[in-house]
Amino acid sequence: SRPRAYFIEALEQDAAGNLWMGTRAKAEEGGLYHAPDGLRPVKVGAVTGTVSALGADNEGGVWVGTDGRGVRYFAGTEERERFTFESTSGGLRSDTIYAVFVDREGVAWFGTDRGVCRYDPKGVAVEPLSSETEGNFVRSIYRTRAGRLLVGTNRGLYVRDARPLSSSLRGGSGCCPGCRLCPARRPARARPVVQIVRPFGIVADHR
């Protein structure tokens, strides 16, 4: 018989070398597949709807971003964590996830249609990008070895340097040239926006 067709949204390999697949699915169905041999994918039982992004950590787990159901974390095929806009009181800015990236420190970064969110042992937090709606529509995330965060959005590429903010700036205003979030590429008519951010929010917004 003809093999079943899968609409693949995301692929990832975990620390043990197992293949994970995110597929398009109805809201009440599961879109996550686990394929240890890479040839015969097996559906993971959780109801996820469409799985739009995947990111593996160094512990053998996989972060699963969905289209409308937030973020899940799986250790093997067992679901261990679940984050939504509601369950995090807005810490996860949207349940629509377009990108997942896990850096070398094990911090998970999520790109949503309302900005970048991150998860570390302290919890889920928001990393605002821009006051312009399309600037917060995140399609891809990458963190370099030097710690610089690169974020691809509907308004171009945003870059945040790795150097932490001075503690004297937290909760106040000012400018720290070593830690800025700025558009590296903008359409000609876009207003220049530079936002100074700390790990859990905006410190200052310069236009």
Side-chain angles (χ1 to χ4, degrees):
S1 63
R2 188 175 182 179
R4 177 184 174 184
Y6 294 89
F7 194 112
I8 307 297
E9 295 275 356
L11 293 170
E12 182 65 292
Q13 186 177 51
D14 65 25
N18 299 310
L19 179 66
W20 292 77
M21 300 165 50
T23 69
R24 186 169 293 181
K26 296 179 180 179
E28 67 277 6
E29 297 179 347
L32 180 65
Y33 289 80
H34 181 238
D37 63 2
L39 297 176
R40 290 179 289 273
V42 177
K43 182 182 288 188
V44 176
V47 176
T48 60
T50 294
V51 172
S52 48
L54 297 168
D57 63 19
N58 293 327
E59 305 298 323
V62 175
W63 289 97
V64 178
T66 71
D67 184 7
R69 287 183 174 267
V71 175
R72 317 287 181 89
Y73 179 76
F74 286 83
T77 57
E78 179 183 352
E79 184 178 319
R80 296 285 182 85
E81 298 274 7
R82 181 182 300 187
F83 300 124
T84 63
F85 177 84
E86 183 177 2
S87 70
T88 61
S89 299
L92 182 66
R93 286 297 298 145
S94 173
D95 289 334
T96 300
I97 311 298
Y98 289 104
V100 176
F101 180 75
V102 183
D103 64 26
R104 297 199 299 176
E105 287 75 38
V107 175
W109 301 81
F110 310 119
T112 79
D113 57 349
R114 294 183 179 179
V116 178
C117 303
R118 51 174 273 170
Y119 174 82
D120 60 25
K122 295 181 180 179
V124 180
V126 180
E127 295 279 354
L129 289 180
S130 170
S131 59
E132 298 179 9
T133 302
E134 289 188 354
N136 284 311
F137 206 110
V138 176
R139 295 289 188 174
S140 57
I141 303 174
Y142 182 74
R143 197 179 188 198
T144 68
R145 291 184 178 182
R148 176 172 287 184
L149 188 67
L150 309 178
V151 180
T153 78
N154 283 13
R155 299 290 285 183
L157 179 66
Y158 285 70
V159 180
R160 196 191 77 174
D161 289 346
R163 187 182 305 171
L165 283 174
S166 166
S167 59
S168 64
L169 293 178
R170 294 178 182 173
S173 61
C175 181
C176 176
C179 186
R180 60 187 180 276
L181 191 66
C182 58
R185 179 172 62 83
R186 297 187 298 265
R189 297 184 179 179
R191 291 184 303 169
V193 175
V194 178
Q195 293 184 314
I196 312 304
V197 302
R198 58 187 176 92
F200 294 96
I202 297 178
V203 172
D205 184 355
H206 302 286
R207 306 186 184 195

